[in-house]
């Protein structure tokens, strides 16, 4: 009976719980931080959309930060999300070889999942098979009869930028073909650079 009266009063008054007060009592914010190098990248846009849907269904909010492919911005966003007491992080740091970024990630202290990155940590990670994927794509282009194939991809300062050229070169080597060095562009994942 008391529960029904409280629920009716809540409805009549339009009352909503205070998330800040609740987070102080439970020591959780029901918030997950997500840091990606460039939100315009279709890969990361899709990951963010999927994560947001799953988290929302479970009562969490996703906060997204884009580092604009700058390691210093990655570190600033990590600290910002930790200051805001996020309950966990999804991370795709721009430079997974940067010693300071590695140190910051090692010391995070909240559940963290790395996305498409290869850091020397014991954190959970989700990654696609970049090397074999590119090799399969190049083999398909060979099968279609293409001769001059270019690879435009990001810096070798992260896992994808290291693995894609490896698969690309392996496809050429396996096919007994020569790679034209001018057709390897390994500096940025941005659409502007690719153009």
């Amino acid at each position: 009976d008391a529960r029904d009266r409280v629920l009716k009063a809540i409805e009549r008054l339009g009352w909503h719980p205070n998330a800040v007060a609740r987070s102080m009592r439970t020591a959780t914010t029901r918030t997950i931080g997500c840091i990606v190098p460039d939100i315009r990248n279709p890969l990361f846009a899709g990951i963010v959309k999927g994560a947001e849907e799953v988290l929302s269904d479970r009562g969490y909010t996703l906060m997204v930060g884009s580092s604009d492919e700058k390691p210093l911005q990655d570190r600033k966003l990590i600290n910002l999300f930790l200051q805001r007491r996020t309950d966990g992080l999804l991370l795709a740091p721009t430079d997974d070889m940067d010693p300071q970024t590695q140190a910051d990630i090692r010391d995070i202290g909240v559940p963290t999942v790395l996305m498409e990155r290869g850091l020397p940590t014991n954190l959970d990670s989700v990654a696609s098979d970049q090397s074999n994927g590119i090799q399969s794509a190049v083999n398909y282009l060979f099968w279609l009869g293409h001769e001059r194939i270019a690879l435009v991809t990001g810096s070798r300062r992260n896992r994808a930028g290291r693995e894609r050229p490896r698969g690309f070169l392996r496809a050429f080597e396996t096919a007994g073909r020569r790679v034209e060095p001018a057709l390897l562009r390994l500096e940025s994942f941005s659409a502007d650079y690719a153009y």
Side-chain angles (χ1 to χ4, degrees):
D1 184 48
R3 184 178 195 285
D4 287 338
R5 288 196 321 261
V6 168
L7 291 174
K8 285 178 185 171
I10 287 172
E11 187 176 328
R12 186 179 79 251
L13 297 171
W15 180 84
H16 297 284
N18 183 320
V20 174
R22 179 182 286 172
S23 73
M24 290 171 62
R25 184 175 49 81
T26 63
T28 64
T29 60
R30 312 272 315 152
T31 303
I32 302 297
C34 178
I35 301 170
V36 297
D38 185 352
I39 194 66
R40 296 170 299 179
N41 180 320
L43 170 69
F44 291 115
I47 289 171
V48 166
K49 179 68 175 152
E52 186 176 48
E53 288 173 5
V54 169
L55 290 168
S56 177
D57 288 347
R58 288 162 177 77
Y60 283 83
T61 300
L62 184 68
M63 290 191 329
V64 179
S66 183
S67 68
D68 200 25
E69 296 189 10
K70 297 176 182 158
L72 180 60
Q73 186 64 14
D74 281 326
R75 295 192 301 272
K76 285 180 180 178
L77 287 168
I78 289 170
N79 289 326
L80 175 70
F81 286 152
L82 293 177
Q83 288 170 8
R84 294 193 178 257
R85 304 278 188 235
T86 56
D87 295 331
L89 293 173
L90 301 172
L91 292 179
T94 298
D95 184 345
D96 62 19
M97 297 179 74
D98 177 62
Q100 188 59 53
T101 300
Q102 289 179 358
D104 287 354
I105 291 172
R106 252 191 320 272
D107 298 334
I108 271 181
V110 297
T112 301
V113 175
L114 296 172
M115 302 177 295
E116 294 295 339
R117 296 300 184 255
L119 286 158
T121 69
N122 60 352
L123 295 174
D124 291 326
S125 65
V126 178
S128 52
D129 188 347
Q130 302 279 336
S131 183
N132 285 328
I134 290 292
Q135 184 175 0
S136 294
V138 171
N139 287 337
Y140 179 68
L141 292 172
F142 286 154
W143 181 79
L144 290 175
H146 296 285
E147 299 283 328
R148 295 186 73 229
I149 301 168
L151 176 64
V152 181
T153 191
S155 154
R156 293 181 185 245
R157 300 293 301 172
N158 67 54
R159 183 182 157 278
R162 290 187 298 273
E163 289 194 7
R164 289 175 184 176
R166 192 176 305 136
F168 185 84
L169 295 172
R170 192 171 54 236
F172 274 81
E173 183 181 312
T174 302
R177 297 182 184 207
R178 188 176 90 51
V179 174
E180 290 182 48
L183 296 179
L184 287 174
R185 302 294 184 180
L186 314 174
E187 295 170 32
S188 174
F189 289 105
S190 76
D192 292 340
Y193 173 75
Y195 180 77

